[in-house]
Every structure is written in C-alpha cells, then in structure tokens.
C-alpha cells in the first residue's frame, strides 16, 4: 500500500476547503464499493470546489500519489477503490448548474445522483435517457466515467450518446472543458504548451494511425464499454464535425481525469407506459424469443429467472409487490412499450400478444398498466442485486462475469455455453437483466471464504472470456472494466488496439497517477489479496455470545456481511433509509458506512479493540434505529438490530452512561413520579430555566427541545376501559407508557372506537413498559427481563382469543421484532404473531368484512398522513391508509417525509439536536407546512417533532376514526 507521509496531509489540509480524512476507519469506509474488491486508500478528500480538486491533483502529482475519483461507490467492477487519494464528489458536488428545457439539456455537477436530477427536470417532462438500476445512488459523474446505460438502452443508448461536454481536472491539475471546438479554437489550443494543448495535437494523429484497427477490432455488439471510445472519436474526425474530446472521457473510469461537471442531453418522459410480463417454463425458451420481441419495437426487455423471483418473494417488503408473477415460472421477460396514449398501447400490446400466440407461445402474460403497478416492478428491478444476495448463506451470487454482452440473436446459445462453464466448476448462477441488448447479468454462487471459491472465480472468469471471444461479444456491456475485467482488455481488442489505449492513457496521464490498474495494466481479477472477502478473512472480534438472536443471519458477523455495498442506503430523494445520510451526505452516516465500520472492527482491521474502538462508536452513534434498512435494503441489513447489540456489547466493558440509563428507565421514573404525586411539579420543573440548564449540563439534554408534559391523570387512572360488548372480537389494548402518561386522550379515543365497532376491549393490569427505550440504548439484559414479564402477562389473553393491538408503533415493533430475538422462545414468537399496530388489525377486519364503510359517518376533510418509521419498516403503511380511507369522504394523502428525526431520545440529546431538526427539515416539515387539513402521525415522537418543527398539532389515526365512527344511541 502507498504510504503517505504527514507533510502531504498537512499540505492538503492547507490547500483544500473540504474535508481531508486520513483516520484509519475513514480510509476503510472508502476501501470498498459494490464490487468484490477492497483496497485501502491512504487519504480521502471530499472537495467543496473545483479548485479543491485541482489542488488535490497537483499535490498528489508532487508526491507521486495516485488519484481515485469516486461518486456513489456503486461500481460492481471495482473502479472506485484503489490506493492513494480517493476524491469523493458525492457529498458536495450535487447541484444543477444550468438547465435549458427548450433545448433539452442540463449541466450538472458530477456528484448529483441520477434520481435527484431526474426529479429536478421532471417538472418539464424530461429525464436522462440512460437509467441504470443504481439510479437512486449512482452519480451522473460516475455514470459518465462508466459510460452507463440501463434498462432502456435499446431506446436511449449509452451516456456517450448523450454527453455534450465534460468539465475535467487533468493530471497536471488544470480544470478544462471538453466539448465541441471550432477549428480556430482547436488551433489556439494546439499552440499552447500545456497538457490540454498536447491532447488536441496528438489525439487526432493517434486516431488516424490506428484507423483500420478501430474499424476492425471493436466487439460486434453496440453495447460495449470496454476500452476507450476511439471508435466515436474516429466518427467525429471523419464526419468533419467540431473536434470534441468528451467521448474519450466518457467510459474512461477516472483513468484520464477527474470529472467535475457534465452537460448532458435530456429526453421526453413517455406519456403512457405498459408492461407485459411474459412467463416461460424454460430459460432458453425466453431467450430464443427475444429477437422476435424486438421486432415489435419495445422500450425494454428485461429478464428475471426463477432464483431472482424466489429471492424477491423471500423479502417481505419486495415480495408483497410481486403480484404480477403467476405460479413458479423458470423465467419471465418484462416487455415494456411506450406510447402517446393508453388506447394506442392497448392496440400495440394486443398485436404483440397475438403475434406471440400465432408463433406458438402458450404461457401466461400479465399486464401492468397503472403508474403504481409499473413503479412497483421497476422498484423490484432496481433492487435486483441486493435481492439476489439476500439469502443468509456463505455462498452468494457474485459479480465478475455479469457484464458480458453478445449479439442478441446469439444470446440463447451464449447462455448455454456459459452454463457449461459453470457446470464444469460445479457452480450454480442466477440470470437476469437486459435481454434486449444481449447483456445478461450472470452471477455465479460462490463462497469466497474458501480457496475453492477463489479458484472457481479464476476458472469461470477465464472460461467465460473464451466464450465471449467466440461470440464476438464484449467483456463489459455497461458496468465497466475496473479490477474485474481490465485484465482481459488486450485479449479482447488485440495487441495493436490495446497499445492505442495505452498511448491514450499516456497522453492524458504521463505519470500513471489517475486511477491506475483500470483498463490498462489490470491485475488478475481473482487475486484474493484484492478481495473484500477471501480465505484469509476472519472475524476474531465478533461477539461469541450475543443478547439478541442472530442465528437466522449466521451470527452477528453474518448480518454485518450481508451488506454488499450497492448503496441503496445512500438515496436521498424518497423513502426513509437512511435519515442521517440524507441530510449529511457523509458515507459514514449511511447504512453501508456503518456496516463497513462494523466489518472493520470484527475483522481486526482496526486492531485489537474490536467493537470497543472509539471510532466505531462515533459511526454507530448517528444511527437513529428507524429500521428502514430492514425493509428498504433489499438484503435486509438490519442496522438497528446491530446497533442494539453493539451498544450492549460495548457497555459490558465500558459501563452504561447515566443518560442512557435514565432514558431506558423512563417508565419506572414516570411510575415513581405518579406514585408520589409529582407530575405537576415535574411539569413545572421542565419549564423552569434553572432546571433546564441543569439538565443541559448534567444530562446534555438540549435546552431548545420542548419536553413532554404529564397529563393530569394517566390513562390507567381513568375509569377502567373494560367493555362488555364484543360481537366482532376481543382486543387487548396495549396502553403504552407514552400515550398513557402524556396523551391519554388518544387511548380513550381508541377504546371509544373499538367499542363502537363492536369489539370487547381489555387492558392488561400488570404490564410493564414494552422495553423499547431500553432496547434503543442497548440495555438488553433489562429489556430481556421486561420482555419475559410482558410475554407471560400477554399469553393468557392471546390464548383466550384476544388480539394485542397498540397505538405506539415502536412498542408493537418491540413485540414483533425484538421479543423473539431477546427470549428465543415459542411463547415470544406467539406474542409476536398476535400483536398488531392498531391500523393493521383494523385493516384485517376490513378485508374480512367485519368493518365496512357503512360503520362511519361521512367526512368532508383532507388529512395528510406521516407513518412512524417502524410502522413503515414492518409493512403497516398500507394498512394505515386503508383504514383511514374507509371513512367515506375523507381525502387521505401519504406524506413522503422520511424519518421525522426525533427517534425517541435521539432528538433530545444536545449533540444530536441539530441533526434531528435537519432530518425533519429535509422533507417532513415542508410537507406538513404545505398540507391542507389535519396531519396524522402515528408515533409519539413524530407528533412531538412535528410540533417543535412546525407548530402543527398532529393527531393519531384513531382520533380521526373515533370522530367519524357511528355509535349506537
């Protein structure tokens, strides 16, 4: 590894306005991407300005250190890992610089994600044509460096077809723009004694010298990103167009310069879309039909095999969306058509199906015509990598041959030959993706912790390379060469054209400092020393005994290793995961960053401190335990669970902080205050400046945060809510600590609602707090005792026919998620299976016909709904909407506001308060302020945060329902 001395670090710190990170854990977080590979960099720079990048490159040149440009780190080939200085452009380089909707182009900084850019230009009915599945986290700069394409490549081509200009920092530290140049501009540049001038002098000559090689040696498939785009340069020169060197930068993988901004063409968003999901009993049958399907001019044709379907069904949040698959097909092709109207598409799809039937096809075809159905399918497609890797086994589908592209008419034969290579090595694989372009993502199932697994990588890689050459295909159809395929560049192109690539590299980068080892002089892709997981990998510092049950994940280390680096947790435009990252854009604050920090700790990469390393605590500290990763991460990396266990393990040796103990025991404290009639005094004290100052100094509770006030009487001290009616069923209402002590009117509304609907309501007389505050602070021994008590309290009710329902989602999620893990018992699992968010229970009753629209009075108002994060994570969001929409005339809209930012005690803590409010300000507060009518928020913390951030008093869903339910006189 390159060793960088401290004078260089000092020089960078003095020259760069962004962060310069050289701490061991910071470097480890950037040592991996979504590929198999891991290489420790020596420094990470997150520049704020283009001049920061210029200064970094100049200083690197002085010290002979390499540069690795990085966007979202979603590369499957290892382009964004390497020694030297990693330049992360994703944190600050994410603005739109110019936008011309009339001429359909936009100029954007390199670190902006594709999803955010598309959202920005969508208001004008436009989007970027290339659309890789990694759009939520892939940056436009990374897509340009990779020459990305995507699902609709047969319609829109590749990034090289759309990039007009690129701003680049060259190896000499100069910031230049490559775009169309007039002859006079070219002549002026050629006359300069600079690296840029040399490029304009020498590149045309180089293209001319290799003219015949360029014409003859490129693969016979248009979808190719291996090598440099000399064929595009030849076309420009021969056409007499203005000389434009931008095509050389597109697809260069950071080996020729650091991209800072891109001017890219935009295309029109289609007016109407329909998806035809064509089912097959055999994979080969599906592939043989692709050429015929293409004659119908679809926008895309995507393949999913039976393994992919099976794994999608196994992940609840995605499996629920897989309604368009009937039975257990061996493969399905999703054929998409665009049109100007639904009627035109109906005519086109009718003709399409007729053509298939006439040709002998007898299988099932599903049609997806609504925006919601179309969105669900593409949501599943975007998550494909994580879904196929979601199985809890040591062997996983791996990406190193996944990017081969061959002529479409040879696709079926190609797949058979690849299957033969796999069978010779005793390896199974999953097949999917871009059938329309002859680019199937084939992922062999291997265990890289074994020598045999690594040997299989070599054998399969070599074997598939031979197949590729036989079919005149390419090693890389979209994911690039990186460490995975650069090794084969000379075999793919031949000695002369590879020499041309080497000369291009030499012209741009004389000292080989720009992302070395990619495209030219690539290492053996099966080198175990380059792999994140290899036979020497171990986890000596993973806990041997855990408080929570990690058996299903293969242990604590197994759950950590489920993170494959694909980076969906780095999305910022929608959903919940990952709240702190959404506002800081800091890699350490993503779920991926935390997983990598834990991997570093348990593998010994940070030394013998293991989980007790202070830097690991700093990274885990900002996890707000929202559980969104449990559902939104396709591989279900449950970072909240990992954090609970991490805190418990660390606190065994370092002790429990006083503040954590107080927050964890909040129910006990509330009980004592009630017993000694100190509730009014407490309310006074919490508003007293002297007391607040003391709390700030001793407990670090932020003065700016309002504190909840005790109700005059807790719910349990009101008239007992024991109903006698029960013609529709029996419900045990969990009277949680927060609603009981602070908002008992909500519990009273729930009792009133349930009784009016005809349910017998009971309240547990001897329950304790659910334990959520303890769990969130890692007080797992205490939480275990509470869980055991509550399970014994609840079981008689459950076995007596009661359903346990709760108003506070974090309580019910403790029953459903943590109790089985804490107690490892059938009794705990029985409680989990019979515990419901109240909306889930009511939705089940609606679907069963026990509750109907006629049981509610009509409404004439709008409500905007913000579900609690745990409710979203465990699938309760749809039920919440279903229940509210049962009230006739109630206009219900869902707020896509992410996490509110309060996260239990997190928002009270002085060191977290500002971040907490920033999370709310990101999307939720503006949405609440713009909402018409009342705001519904199901979580106590959410209602508190909404009030502090906007002044709005949010209500619980049961308050709305109780208002409109009909009652017997």
């Amino acid at each position: 590894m390159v060793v960088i001395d401290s004078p260089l670090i000092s020089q960078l710190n003095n020259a760069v306005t962004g962060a310069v990170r050289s701490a061991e854990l910071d470097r480890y977080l950037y040592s991996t991407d979504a590929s198999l590979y891991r290489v420790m960099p020596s420094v990470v720079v997150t520049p704020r300005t283009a001049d920061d990048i210029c200064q970094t490159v100049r200083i690197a040149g002085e010290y002979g250190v390499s540069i690795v440009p990085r966007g979202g780190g979603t590369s499957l080939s290892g382009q964004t890992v390497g020694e030297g200085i990693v330049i992360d452009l994703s944190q600050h380089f994410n603005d739109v610089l110019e936008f011309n909707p009339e001429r359909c182009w936009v100029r954007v900084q390199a670190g902006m994600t594709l999803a955010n850019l598309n959202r920005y230009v969508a208001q004008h009915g436009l989007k970027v044509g290339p659309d890789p599945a990694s759009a939520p986290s892939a940056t436009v700069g990374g897509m340009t460096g990779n020459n990305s394409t995507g699902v609709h490549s047969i319609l829109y081509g590749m990034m090289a077809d759309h990039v007009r200009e690129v701003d680049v920092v060259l190896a000499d530290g100069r910031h230049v723009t490559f775009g169309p140049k007039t002859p006079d501009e070219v002549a002026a540049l050629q006359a300069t004694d600079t690296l840029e001038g040399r490029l304009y002098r020498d590149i045309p000559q180089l293209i001319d010298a290799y003219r015949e090689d360029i014409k003859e040696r490129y693969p016979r498939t248009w979808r190719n990103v291996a090598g440099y785009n000399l064929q595009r340069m030849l076309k420009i020169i021969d056409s007499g167009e203005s000389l434009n060197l931008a095509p050389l930068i597109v697809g260069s993988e950071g080996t020729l310069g650091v991209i800072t901004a891109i001017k890219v063409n935009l295309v029109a968003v289609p007016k109407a879309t329909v998806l035809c999901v064509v089912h097959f009993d055999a994979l080969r049958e599906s592939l043989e039909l692709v050429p015929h399907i293409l004659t119908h001019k679809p926008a895309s044709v995507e393949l999913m095999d039976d393994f992919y379907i099976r794994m999608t069904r196994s992940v609840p949040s995605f499996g629920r969306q897989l309604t368009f698959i009937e039975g257990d097909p061996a493969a399905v092709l999703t054929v998409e058509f665009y049109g100007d109207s639904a009627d035109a598409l109906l005519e086109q799809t009718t003709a399409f199906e007729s053509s298939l039937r006439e040709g002998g096809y007898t299988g099932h075809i599903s049609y997806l015509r609504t925006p919601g159905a179309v969105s669900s399918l593409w949501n599943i497609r975007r998550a494909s990598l994580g879904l196929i890797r979601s199985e809890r086994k040591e062997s996983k589908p791996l990406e190193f041959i996944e990017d081969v592209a061959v002529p479409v008419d040879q696709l079926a034969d190609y797949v058979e030959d690849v299957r033969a290579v796999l069978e010779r090595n005793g390896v199974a694989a999953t097949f999917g993706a871009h059938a329309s372009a002859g680019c199937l993502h084939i992922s062999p199932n291997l265990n890289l912790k074994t020598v045999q697994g690594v040997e299989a990588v070599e054998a399969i890689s070599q074997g598939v390379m031979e197949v590729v050459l036989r079919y005149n295909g390419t090693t890389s159809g979209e994911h690039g060469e990186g460490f995975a395929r650069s090794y084969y560049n000379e075999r793919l192109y031949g000695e002369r054209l590879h020499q041309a690539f080497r000369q291009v590299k030499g012209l741009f980068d004389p000292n080989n400092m720009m992302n070395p080892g990619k495209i030219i002089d690539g290492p053996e892709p099966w080198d175990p020393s380059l792999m994140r997981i290899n036979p020497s990998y171990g986890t000596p510092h993973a806990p041997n005994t855990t408080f929570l049950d990690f058996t299903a994940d293969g242990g604590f280390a197994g759950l950590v290793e489920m993170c494959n680096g694909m980076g969906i947790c780095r999305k910022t435009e929608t959903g919940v995961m990952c709240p702190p990252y959404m506002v800081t854009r800091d890699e350490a604050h993503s779920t991926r960053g935390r997983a990598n920090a834990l991997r570093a700790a348990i593998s010994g990469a940070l030394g013998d401190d293991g989980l007790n390393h202070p830097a690991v605590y700093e990274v885990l500290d900002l996890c707000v335990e929202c559980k969104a990763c449990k559902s939104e991460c396709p591989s279900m990396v449950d970072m909240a669970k990992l954090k609970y266990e991490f805190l418990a393990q660390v606190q065994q040796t370092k002790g429990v902080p006083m503040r954590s103990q107080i927050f964890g025991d909040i129910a006990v404290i509330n009980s004592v205050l009630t017993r000694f009639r100190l509730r009014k005094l407490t309310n006074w004290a919490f508003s007293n400046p002297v007391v607040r100052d003391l709390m700030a100094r001793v407990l670090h509770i932020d003065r700016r945060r309002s504190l909840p006030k005790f109700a005059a009487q807790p719910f349990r001290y009101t008239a007992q809510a024991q109903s006698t009616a029960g013609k529709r069923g029996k419900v045990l209402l969990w009277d949680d600590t927060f609603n009981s002590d602070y908002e008992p009117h909500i519990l009273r509304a729930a009792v009133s609602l349930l009784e009016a609907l005809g349910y017998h309501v009971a309240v547990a007389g001897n329950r304790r707090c659910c334990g959520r505050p303890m769990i969130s602070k890692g007080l797992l021994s205490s939480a275990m005792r509470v869980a055991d008590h509550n399970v014994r309290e609840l079981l008689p009710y459950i076995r007596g026919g009661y359903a346990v329902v709760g108003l506070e989602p974090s309580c019910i999620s403790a029953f459903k998620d943590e109790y089985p893990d804490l107690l490892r018992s059938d009794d705990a699992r029985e409680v989990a299976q019979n515990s419901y968010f109240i909306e889930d229970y009511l939705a089940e009753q609606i679907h069963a016909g026990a509750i109907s629209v006629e049981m509610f009075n009509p409404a004439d108002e709008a409500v905007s709904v913000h579900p609690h994060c745990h409710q979203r994570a465990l699938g309760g969001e749809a039920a919440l909407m279903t229940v509210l929409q049962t009230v006739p005339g109630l206009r219900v809209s869902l707020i896509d506001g992410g996490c509110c930012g309060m996260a239990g005690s997190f928002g009270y803590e002085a060191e977290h308060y500002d971040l907490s409010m920033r999370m709310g300000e990101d999307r939720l507060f503006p949405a609440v302020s713009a909402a018409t009518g009342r705001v519904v928020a199901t979580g106590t913390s959410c209602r508190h945060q909404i009030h502090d951030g906007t002044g709005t008093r949010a209500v619980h869903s049961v308050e709305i329902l109780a208002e409109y339910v009909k009652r017997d006189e």
Side-chain angles (χ1 to χ4, degrees), residues 505-517:
K505 169 71 170 173
L507 288 173
F508 276 87
D509 183 22
N511 297 316
N512 194 29
M513 63 179 288
M514 307 303 294
N515 210 8

Side-chain angles (χ1 to χ4, degrees), residues 387-692:
L387 288 169
I388 65 172
R389 288 191 185 180
S390 62
E391 199 168 17
R392 266 53 182 169
K393 291 183 177 179
E394 295 283 18
S395 295
K396 300 185 188 300
L398 302 178
E399 285 66 42
F400 59 95
I401 61 165
E402 88 296 343
D403 205 30
V404 169
V406 298
V408 176
D409 58 358
Q410 300 182 61
L411 189 57
D413 290 337
Y414 160 73
V415 166
E416 290 300 325
D417 286 353
V418 171
R419 275 181 156 174
V421 172
L422 295 169
E423 288 171 5
R424 285 200 301 271
N425 290 277
V427 174
T430 181
F431 297 76
H434 315 301
S436 58
C439 183
L440 287 190
H441 297 332
I442 303 174
S443 304
N445 206 348
L446 295 170
N447 179 7
L448 294 182
K449 293 180 180 178
T450 66
V451 173
Q452 294 81 2
V454 175
E455 289 174 345
V457 171
E458 177 178 2
I460 293 169
S461 178
Q462 295 272 25
V464 170
M465 179 64 196
E466 297 302 324
V467 176
V468 170
L469 293 176
R470 191 158 64 245
Y471 284 97
N472 292 313
T474 178
T475 53
S476 184
E478 65 173 327
H479 294 161
E481 297 185 88
F483 284 142
R485 286 171 282 271
S486 295
Y487 177 80
Y488 294 118
N489 188 278
E490 184 170 359
R491 288 173 64 184
L492 177 67
Y493 282 103
E495 183 178 350
R496 273 187 54 80
L497 204 48
H498 183 73
Q499 179 59 29
F501 294 157
R502 186 179 297 282
Q503 288 178 238
V504 170
K505 169 71 170 173
L507 288 173
F508 276 87
D509 183 22
N511 297 316
N512 194 29
M513 63 179 288
M514 307 303 294
N515 210 8
K518 320 296 171 23
I519 300 180
I520 302 300
D521 298 324
E524 294 178 339
W526 51 83
D527 182 351
S529 68
L530 289 176
M531 293 180 177
R532 176 172 28 178
I533 302 294
N534 58 42
S536 65
Y537 172 87
T539 55
H541 300 292
N544 294 318
T545 303
T546 58
F547 294 89
L548 295 168
D549 186 6
F550 289 88
T551 303
D553 301 303
F556 182 90
L559 182 53
V560 171
E561 292 163 7
M562 285 306 300
C563 177
N564 52 58
M566 66 184 294
I568 281 185
C569 50
R570 289 171 53 95
K571 62 186 174 65
T572 60
E573 78 285 357
T574 189
V576 179
M577 179 181 71
C578 179
Y581 177 79
M582 285 187 175
V583 296
T584 67
R585 308 289 179 93
D586 190 322
E587 174 70 17
H589 302 159
S590 66
T591 304
R592 179 175 74 180
R594 297 185 187 104
N596 277 331
L598 288 171
R599 184 187 287 112
I602 62 178
S603 66
L606 301 179
D608 293 334
D609 286 341
L611 294 176
N612 289 312
H613 195 290
V616 181
Y617 179 86
E618 291 177 14
V619 171
L620 270 291
D621 182 46
L622 294 189
C623 169
V624 295
E625 301 164 4
C626 66
K627 290 181 178 281
C629 48
K630 182 180 174 69
S631 60
E632 293 184 25
C633 170
S635 296
M636 298 181 293
V637 180
D638 190 347
M639 188 53 62
K641 181 177 180 178
L642 288 167
K643 182 179 178 181
Y644 305 148
E645 186 67 41
F646 164 79
L647 289 173
Q649 295 289 334
V650 170
Q651 286 167 179
Q652 281 190 112
T653 56
K654 295 192 173 183
V656 179
M658 180 173 62
R659 186 178 66 185
S660 294
Q661 193 70 64
I662 290 172
F663 278 127
D665 287 334
I666 189 67
V668 176
I669 294 170
N670 285 1
S671 178
V672 170
L673 293 173
T674 298
R675 185 181 308 164
F676 291 98
R677 301 184 179 181
L678 297 174
R679 295 163 72 94
K680 287 186 178 179
L681 179 62
T682 301
N683 286 345
W684 171 84
F686 280 179
S687 61
N688 183 280
V690 176
V691 175
R692 291 302 304 268

